[in-house]
Amino acid sequence: MFVTLPTLKMAAVSGFRALLSLRHSVILQQSFGLNAVQLTTCLPRRLCSVNTGNNKPRLAMNTENEALLETLNRMGVDVTRARQRQPGVFRKSFTNEHGLTEFLQSKGASRKVIASIISRYPRAITRSISHMEERWDLWRNIFKTDEEIVNILDRSPESFFRSSDNENLEKNIAFLTSLGLNSKDLHRLLSTAPRTFSNSLELNRQMVECLEDVCAELGGKNPEQFAKAVISRNLYILIRSTKRVRTNVNYLRASLKLSDSELLDLLQGHGSEILDLSNKYLKKNIISLQQKMVSLGCQKAEINEFIIRYPLILYIGTNTLSCKLDCLLEGGITMKQILQKPKVLDYSTQNITERLKELQRIGYDFQKNGINILDSSRKRFVAKIERLAPSNN
């Protein structure tokens, strides 16, 4: 019988794929405790499970890859959760769960962490080894250890696996560095708002240009420095829309009756930290705060000054803020004292209540001694109570 050269090549490729799949299956067996029966059951249907090229074959429409489901179940993946998030993954003929497992374990990830990553972001099993290695190297330019990256993936798998464009990631790192952000800033960005690096370069550039325009329109002399300062203070700003930021800037100006220079000063300081709030939430909180403080006898000018001095108060939900104010006032503290020391509102209502009880127990006089004691760490507060208690016995 005459055998053509192409036929021999095809046979060789098939044999190589079978061996490769066997190697991955053995690794998976060792990692997740699969037994021999399970291995032989899944092998014939999964011989080509490592191809993750652009032309990804799919099964018939609405048909799930049963062998893939079996494998993921044995790995401890929450398949129900994963299917709800990205159902299309389970209709692919070729996936790379074995390669993903091997790669992440080499970086120190546990079986539990790997299963959790796939459960929450199943598209991770479609990434090739070469893609993951290249992306990992780019992240290691910012992080010192593999453990730091594994911790971020455990918290937010989307941040690493969402984008398949490593070139875009590299360009974003270069762009953000060009703004004057140092390695510490990039570390904080990637740890706190990793989606920043999955944005297209153009999207990040648009936000920076928006911030620079805001600065210039308000009479600022250094738009580049302004943009850098805002990004450094508000790590979420780059994953918000320019429309949201513009609307918030305009609403702050109108509601607080600010001049250009006053608004610029606010945004260059702590005001930058509220620019990422939704327009509806910001507007609701400003209106509710104004109404509450008017009911407590405050003048409009006092309210505006209070917000300008402590804009982070707008992060606090309406009901929570109302409870905190009532708690402080009922504890013998005046509204004037709160206006002068707004950071007391940073603490939880439960914390405020417990501290007020302790101070009342020792007869603490807020009118005489002020309220600074409420704005202190737990350790310092306890030490202060211990020093004051004997003199009141």
Side-chain angles (χ1 to χ4, degrees):
M1 180 178 177
F2 180 72
V3 181
T4 64
L5 183 58
T7 302
L8 288 174
K9 286 183 176 179
M10 289 177 64
V13 170
S14 297
F16 174 75
R17 285 178 174 173
L19 287 173
L20 184 60
S21 182
L22 178 60
R23 175 178 178 272
H24 284 152
S25 297
V26 169
I27 292 170
L28 196 64
Q29 179 188 23
Q30 294 171 342
S31 301
F32 291 90
L34 305 182
N35 58 45
V37 174
Q38 291 170 327
L39 266 174
T40 55
T41 301
C42 70
L43 265 175
R45 289 178 290 177
R46 301 283 298 156
L47 289 179
C48 301
S49 63
V50 294
N51 186 340
T52 56
N54 292 328
N55 299 318
K56 302 182 180 77
R58 288 178 177 269
L59 299 174
M61 187 173 292
N62 298 323
T63 301
E64 290 188 333
N65 188 330
E66 293 182 8
L68 172 61
L69 294 175
E70 292 172 8
T71 300
L72 296 182
N73 270 314
R74 288 194 291 270
M75 291 171 66
V77 172
D78 185 340
V79 173
T80 300
R81 183 181 185 185
R83 185 188 284 115
Q84 290 172 343
R85 294 192 171 226
Q86 293 163 352
V89 171
F90 299 95
R91 293 192 291 272
K92 293 181 180 292
S93 296
F94 301 130
T95 51
N96 192 29
E97 62 277 8
H98 303 307
L100 174 68
T101 298
E102 183 180 3
F103 177 80
L104 290 179
Q105 285 191 324
S106 73
K107 303 301 182 183
S110 67
R111 292 184 297 170
K112 182 179 179 180
V113 166
I114 295 170
S116 176
I117 286 172
I118 299 173
S119 299
R120 289 175 291 142
Y121 202 78
R123 197 174 296 158
I125 66 175
T126 67
R127 302 303 182 212
S128 68
I129 294 291
S130 59
H131 165 82
M132 290 187 286
E133 287 177 341
E134 182 181 7
R135 198 167 190 81
W136 199 276
D137 288 342
L138 289 171
W139 278 44
R140 276 302 302 268
N141 290 332
I142 298 173
F143 295 104
K144 294 180 179 179
T145 66
D146 288 339
E147 182 181 7
E148 290 179 285
I149 301 178
V150 169
N151 288 337
I152 292 178
L153 266 60
D154 187 25
R155 191 178 76 243
S156 174
E158 180 184 6
S159 63
F160 187 87
F161 295 106
R162 178 171 178 253
S163 173
S164 60
D165 192 345
N166 288 337
E167 183 180 358
N168 182 68
L169 170 61
E170 192 168 10
K171 287 179 179 178
N172 270 326
I173 293 173
F175 173 65
L176 294 171
T177 302
S178 73
L179 300 178
L181 298 175
N182 56 35
S183 57
K184 184 178 179 181
D185 294 323
L186 295 178
H187 188 290
R188 290 170 58 236
L189 265 174
L190 196 49
S191 300
T192 307
R195 274 182 52 202
T196 298
F197 296 86
S198 296
N199 284 347
S200 68
L201 175 61
E202 182 57 30
L203 201 60
N204 285 336
R205 197 188 300 276
Q206 286 175 9
M207 178 57 76
V208 171
E209 290 173 353
C210 171
L211 294 174
E212 291 175 348
D213 289 345
V214 167
C215 178
E217 291 163 11
L218 296 176
K221 304 300 182 184
N222 194 335
E224 293 79 10
Q225 180 59 34
F226 175 82
K228 175 190 172 184
V230 172
I231 295 170
S232 296
R233 283 184 175 274
N234 191 330
L235 300 176
Y236 298 99
I237 196 75
L238 289 169
I239 58 176
R240 306 306 184 205
S241 69
T242 55
K243 180 181 178 182
R244 173 184 291 198
V245 171
R246 277 284 187 182
T247 302
N248 282 344
V249 169
N250 292 334
Y251 187 74
L252 286 170
R253 183 210 296 269
S255 62
L256 301 180
K257 311 297 182 189
L258 299 175
S259 66
D260 286 353
S261 60
E262 289 172 332
L263 182 56
L264 184 64
D265 288 342
L266 175 64
L267 298 179
Q268 288 180 142
H270 289 295
S272 62
E273 298 176 51
I274 61 173
L275 286 179
D276 70 298
L277 294 175
S278 75
N279 305 142
K280 183 178 179 181
Y281 186 82
L282 179 66
K283 183 177 181 179
K284 176 185 176 183
N285 283 4
I286 288 180
I287 292 174
S288 297
L289 177 62
Q290 290 172 336
Q291 292 174 341
K292 177 68 176 180
M293 294 182 71
V294 165
S295 72
L296 295 173
C298 297
Q299 300 298 313
K300 186 68 178 292
E302 289 180 307
I303 299 170
N304 288 352
E305 179 62 26
F306 180 60
I307 295 174
I308 292 168
R309 286 184 59 234
Y310 196 63
L312 292 180
I313 196 170
L314 298 176
Y315 259 108
I316 306 175
T318 301
N319 294 333
T320 301
L321 179 59
S322 182
C323 287
K324 289 181 179 182
L325 288 171
D326 291 342
C327 182
L328 289 167
L329 294 172
E330 291 168 4
I333 295 168
T334 66
M335 196 63 217
K336 181 179 179 180
Q337 288 176 307
I338 297 173
L339 290 173
Q340 293 172 342
K341 191 68 176 178
K343 286 200 70 177
V344 296
L345 295 167
D346 279 352
Y347 299 88
S348 68
T349 304
Q350 181 181 353
N351 184 295
I352 292 171
T353 302
E354 291 174 351
R355 291 190 175 195
L356 287 174
K357 287 181 179 178
E358 283 292 308
L359 291 168
Q360 289 168 355
R361 181 178 62 80
I362 64 172
Y364 190 86
D365 188 340
F366 289 113
Q367 304 312 310
K368 178 182 177 181
N369 301 311
I371 65 172
N372 284 345
I373 190 170
L374 291 174
D375 180 25
S376 60
S377 66
R378 178 64 186 169
K379 183 177 180 181
R380 289 184 177 182
F381 179 78
V382 171
K384 183 72 172 178
I385 291 292
E386 289 175 350
R387 288 198 301 272
L388 291 173
S391 64
N392 287 278
N393 288 334

